[in-house]
Amino acid sequence: MSDDAGRLLDQARRIADHAYAPYSRFRVGAVAVAGNGDEYVGVNVENAAFGATICAEANAITTAAAAGIRRLHTVAVGCLDADECYPCGNCRQLMREFGVERVIVQGEGGRLRIHTLEELLPESFGPEDLP
Ligand code: THU
C-alpha cells in the first residue's frame, strides 16, 4: 500500500504553496485520505495571535470531518522549507481520533518516510478508551 505514497506527498507539497505562514515562513501541506479513498487537503494557517494557528494536518482532517468523513487511513505531510516535517503531538492525537494508520512525511530535499501512527503515538488514548 505504499505505491501511492509518492503521489500523495507530491500533492501535499504542492498544496503547501498555499500555506498562510507569514510568521514562521514554514509552509506545510497535508492530504488526508478517507476510508472510501476521497482525499482532503489542508495547509497551515497562522495568526497574529500565534496560539490561533492551525496546522496543515488539522486543517485537512477537520475539512474531511466537515464533509462527513469519520474514518481516515492515511495522512501525507509535506513541507517546502525544511528537510523534515513530522506532525506535532496535537495533530497525532487528531489522527488517532479518526483511525489514521499510515503517516507519510517528506520535506524539501528530505527522504520520504512512511510510519504507522502507532510508531508516532505509542500507548495512546483514543475513542474506544472512553466508557
Ligand atoms: N505546522 C504544521 O502545519 N504541522 C505540524 O505538524 C507542525 C507545525 C505549522 C504550524 C506553524 O504554522 C508552522 O508549522 C511552524 O510551527
Side-chain angles (χ1 to χ4, degrees):
M1 259 294 276
S2 63
D3 47 326
D4 60 344
R7 178 186 65 77
L8 290 169
L9 220 297
D10 283 348
Q11 199 185 340
R13 271 202 308 235
R14 258 200 316 278
I15 197 78
D17 195 43
H18 293 166
Y20 175 70
Y23 306 108
S24 72
R25 307 219 172 269
F26 190 78
R27 294 168 295 170
V28 187
V31 183
V33 187
N36 66 7
D38 286 354
E39 296 174 6
Y40 299 86
V41 299
V43 297
N44 54 328
V45 180
E46 297 186 345
N47 194 287
F50 295 164
T53 290
I54 301 164
C55 285
E57 300 91 318
N59 197 348
I61 291 168
T62 55
T63 299
I69 298 297
R70 293 293 178 264
R71 183 129 198 114
L72 298 163
H73 62 74
T74 296
V75 173
V77 190
C79 64
L80 297 176
D81 307 299
D83 287 348
E84 303 249 293
C85 45
Y86 274 87
C88 75
N90 200 53
C91 288
R92 293 177 195 203
Q93 186 65 37
L94 256 179
M95 292 176 193
R96 175 73 166 83
E97 186 69 22
F98 292 96
V100 171
E101 289 159 21
R102 184 178 63 152
V103 183
I104 306 165
V105 296
Q106 189 178 23
E108 193 72 47
R111 271 187 50 208
L112 186 146
R113 295 171 199 272
I114 302 177
H115 295 278
T116 61
L117 185 61
E118 173 68 23
E119 287 171 333
L120 300 183
L121 193 70
E123 308 292 346
S124 62
F125 183 83
E128 67 281 0
D129 295 312
L130 283 176

